[in-house]
Amino acid sequence: MPDTSTPSFRRVSEVEVLKTYVFSVGQVTLLDPDGKPFERSIVHHPGAVAIIAVDANRRVTLVRQYRAAVDRMVLEAPAGTCDVDGEELEATARRELEEEAGLLAESMEVLIGTFNTPGISDQHTTIFLATGLSPCPAKPSGVEEGFMTIETIALDDVESLVADGTLVDETTVLGLFLARTHLDRALDS
């Protein structure tokens, strides 16, 4: 197992320079292993969940929604910010799956917890595999979700959808590959 400690770097101080309804930005002063100071800007995020919802036919429900940061519609797994105080990760995942995709899941399994962009943000996203799906009314919230569409893809088409640029969201791509591996292993055992 790799060493994840940082004994030779030391955080000296942090000043909040921006606070929004979802995240904040801090200007952090650190000391390098030689004791020389340097600064970094860090985006602090409350965390998120993403859900790879796979039905009995290995079809995956995704959503296509507008993402302002890249100014385009992005096909991605249902996902959401952990913005409800005290809500467990699985409850957040179930809520987001229902709101965005109009689905309930009998089973929710954690596939991985991942840092999305550790060079600039502390955002940690937990990716779930949802199975045993049944429909329910979707409850979109927010401007983007009001114009969101729900689409399905075949789990076995992941490589071609990445290669042709259909899938560009890293959390979705990672989740799809992990879900396929997990489900294939379950079939083999």
Side-chain angles (χ1 to χ4, degrees):
M1 179 157 201
D3 181 10
T4 58
S5 63
T6 55
S8 49
F9 286 88
R10 190 165 61 93
R11 196 176 281 218
V12 177
S13 64
E14 181 171 348
V15 176
E16 186 175 86
V17 295
L18 174 68
K19 176 98 173 134
T20 75
Y21 72 99
V22 175
F23 65 89
S24 64
V25 178
Q27 188 67 28
V28 180
T29 301
L30 303 113
L31 296 177
D32 75 11
D34 295 328
K36 296 178 185 163
F38 66 103
E39 291 188 345
R40 292 290 181 263
S41 297
I42 298 175
V43 177
H44 295 293
H45 190 279
V49 297
I51 308 94
I52 305 300
V54 183
D55 70 16
N57 297 316
R58 293 175 64 98
R59 303 279 309 162
V60 181
T61 299
L62 301 176
V63 297
R64 186 179 300 274
Q65 66 178 311
Y66 178 74
R67 293 301 192 184
V70 294
D71 192 29
R72 67 186 270 194
M73 299 293 284
V74 177
L75 186 62
E76 59 191 44
T81 302
C82 298
D83 55 2
V84 176
D85 287 339
E87 186 175 56
E88 296 292 323
L89 289 172
E90 183 176 324
T92 304
R94 288 182 180 280
R95 177 174 51 80
E96 292 293 342
L97 183 62
E98 182 178 346
E99 287 177 4
E100 293 189 5
L103 291 172
L104 301 173
E106 287 179 16
S107 174
M108 282 279 202
E109 297 177 68
V110 172
L111 291 171
I112 194 170
T114 182
F115 290 106
N116 299 67
T117 52
I120 191 167
S121 175
D122 63 5
Q123 179 178 341
H124 186 266
T125 299
T126 302
I127 303 173
F128 287 85
L129 170 62
T131 55
L133 305 175
S134 59
C136 68
K139 302 172 187 172
S141 64
V143 175
E144 293 90 347
E145 287 184 19
F147 296 91
M148 178 173 61
T149 59
I150 299 171
E151 302 179 24
T152 60
I153 64 162
L155 187 57
D156 295 323
D157 290 344
V158 175
E159 279 94 350
S160 63
L161 295 171
V162 171
D164 73 10
T166 299
L167 294 173
V168 296
D169 175 64
E170 58 86 16
T171 300
T172 301
V173 172
L174 174 62
L176 288 168
F177 279 117
L178 290 173
R180 189 175 68 190
T181 300
H182 178 80
L183 292 170
D184 288 348
R185 282 187 185 149
L187 285 175
D188 291 340
S189 57

